[in-house]
Amino acid sequence: MKKKLLAASLALIFGAGAGYVVNTYAQQKPEVLLKQRQGAMALQGKYFGQLNAMAQGKAPYNAQIVVRNAGYLAALSEMPWDGFSPDTKDEKSRALPAVWSDAGQFKEAQERFQGAVAKLVAAKGDETTAKAAIGEVGKACGACHDHFRAK
Amino acid sequence: MKKKLLAASLALIFGAGAGYVVNTYAQQKPEVLLKQRQGAMALQGKYFGQLNAMAQGKAPYNAQIVVRNAGYLAALSEMPWDGFSPDTKDEKSRALPAVWSDAGQFKEAQERFQGAVAKLVAAKGDETTAKAAIGEVGKACGACHDHFRAK
């Protein structure tokens, strides 16, 4: 029994390991957390903006850039969220109170965005598939901003 | 002859494709470029800081986090540089004039950093190898900051 419990606990600790350590390290000053999460958003804008221009026909389609930026966005889509720590509530930013009061919906919005980025990665630069995925990514960005970011 | 020239030109265009498109898109306002490159630096600090704490024994070693952060750093190590566009020279930042006057050395410093990150990725979370690579990454950060960033 003890052995089973130990095994279960270890599995739990191991499974939760990444999140746990991240949370431990996230004990940063609120202004640092803010700067980091805004940095991730600024870079999402940089690399999505290039793709959006292609999807809208404002720039020539370039499969190499699409594949590269999809990879960048996959990483960047994981980076901002632990920066929305409750102790950053009083920092000056465009984050709306709903980020903390509707945490469940905020999490769903993050996952919708990550799911759309995953489709973009899976497109492997195929123009039709990638352009559709870029559209979905854009809608996910907008939907989250509508609810959780001040105009 | 014409055919050969065409083939060579296409190879050149294809090979240079990524850089070309990036440069085209980089026609952003200087303050946007500054924000994006500072965002990349802030995130390098976030994810390297966690690893450095492990390498220095200030945090328990966690292979999952090491592998994850190595991947993040691989992406982030490519992101800041096109933000050091000459038209950002007058933006208020800690970038020293050497960024533009010693462009070759600045490029070498970037490549040293990317090389060290590549070793960290290749370590695949193996503690001894990863800790050595983390040390190299830290030295690459410091060497670049010493020459190209105000104290």
Side-chain angles (χ1 to χ4, degrees):
Chain A
M1 189 61 183
K2 249 189 186 166
K3 225 174 176 179
K4 259 192 185 166
L5 191 64
L6 181 69
S9 302
L10 284 177
L12 201 67
I13 291 164
F14 184 73
Y20 171 71
V21 171
V22 169
N23 289 332
T24 303
Y25 285 103
Q27 303 311 317
Q28 279 282 2
K29 289 179 191 163
E31 64 266 28
V32 173
L33 292 174
L34 179 71
K35 209 172 165 180
Q36 291 168 340
R37 82 179 191 224
Q38 289 181 333
M41 294 297 188
L43 290 166
Q44 286 173 11
K46 176 180 179 179
Y47 295 107
F48 178 70
Q50 296 172 358
L51 302 185
N52 205 33
M54 291 183 204
Q56 295 182 343
K58 291 176 188 165
Y61 186 82
N62 182 315
Q64 268 182 290
I65 296 287
V66 170
V67 169
R68 187 202 66 174
N69 286 19
Y72 287 171
L73 288 169
L76 292 167
S77 72
E78 297 180 359
M79 295 185 186
W81 321 118
D82 62 352
F84 289 92
S85 145
D87 60 350
T88 62
K89 271 187 197 178
D90 297 330
E91 295 293 313
K92 202 187 157 217
S93 86
R94 291 167 74 189
L96 292 172
V99 163
W100 297 280
S101 60
D102 297 343
Q105 214 191 316
F106 186 48
K107 178 89 179 145
E108 276 174 33
Q110 296 162 25
E111 287 167 356
R112 175 179 168 183
F113 169 52
Q114 290 166 338
V117 170
K119 283 189 194 173
L120 179 59
V121 171
K124 293 182 180 172
D126 172 74
E127 185 166 351
T128 307
T129 322
K131 283 186 173 174
I134 292 165
E136 273 193 54
V137 173
K139 279 179 194 162
C141 294
C144 193
H145 291 165
D146 283 350
H147 286 88
F148 299 103
R149 189 178 75 165
K151 303 283 171 217
Chain B
M1 190 62 182
K2 248 189 187 168
K3 224 175 176 179
K4 258 193 187 166
L5 191 65
L6 181 69
S9 301
L10 284 176
L12 200 66
I13 290 165
F14 185 73
Y20 171 72
V21 171
V22 169
N23 288 332
T24 303
Y25 284 103
Q27 303 311 318
Q28 279 283 1
K29 288 178 191 165
E31 65 266 30
V32 172
L33 292 174
L34 179 71
K35 209 172 166 179
Q36 291 167 341
R37 82 179 192 221
Q38 288 180 334
M41 295 296 188
L43 290 166
Q44 286 173 10
K46 176 180 180 179
Y47 294 108
F48 178 70
Q50 296 173 357
L51 301 185
N52 205 32
M54 292 183 204
Q56 295 183 342
K58 292 177 188 166
Y61 186 82
N62 182 314
Q64 269 181 289
I65 296 286
V66 170
V67 170
R68 187 202 65 175
N69 287 19
Y72 287 171
L73 288 169
L76 292 167
S77 72
E78 298 181 358
M79 294 184 187
W81 320 119
D82 62 352
F84 288 92
S85 143
D87 60 350
T88 63
K89 271 187 198 178
D90 297 329
E91 295 294 313
K92 201 188 157 216
S93 86
R94 292 166 74 189
L96 293 172
V99 163
W100 297 281
S101 60
D102 297 343
Q105 213 191 318
F106 187 46
K107 178 89 178 145
E108 275 174 35
Q110 297 162 23
E111 286 167 357
R112 176 179 167 183
F113 170 51
Q114 290 165 338
V117 170
K119 283 189 193 173
L120 179 60
V121 170
K124 292 183 182 173
D126 173 73
E127 186 165 351
T128 307
T129 321
K131 282 185 173 174
I134 292 165
E136 273 193 54
V137 173
K139 278 179 196 163
C141 294
C144 193
H145 291 165
D146 282 349
H147 286 89
F148 298 104
R149 189 178 74 166
K151 303 283 170 215

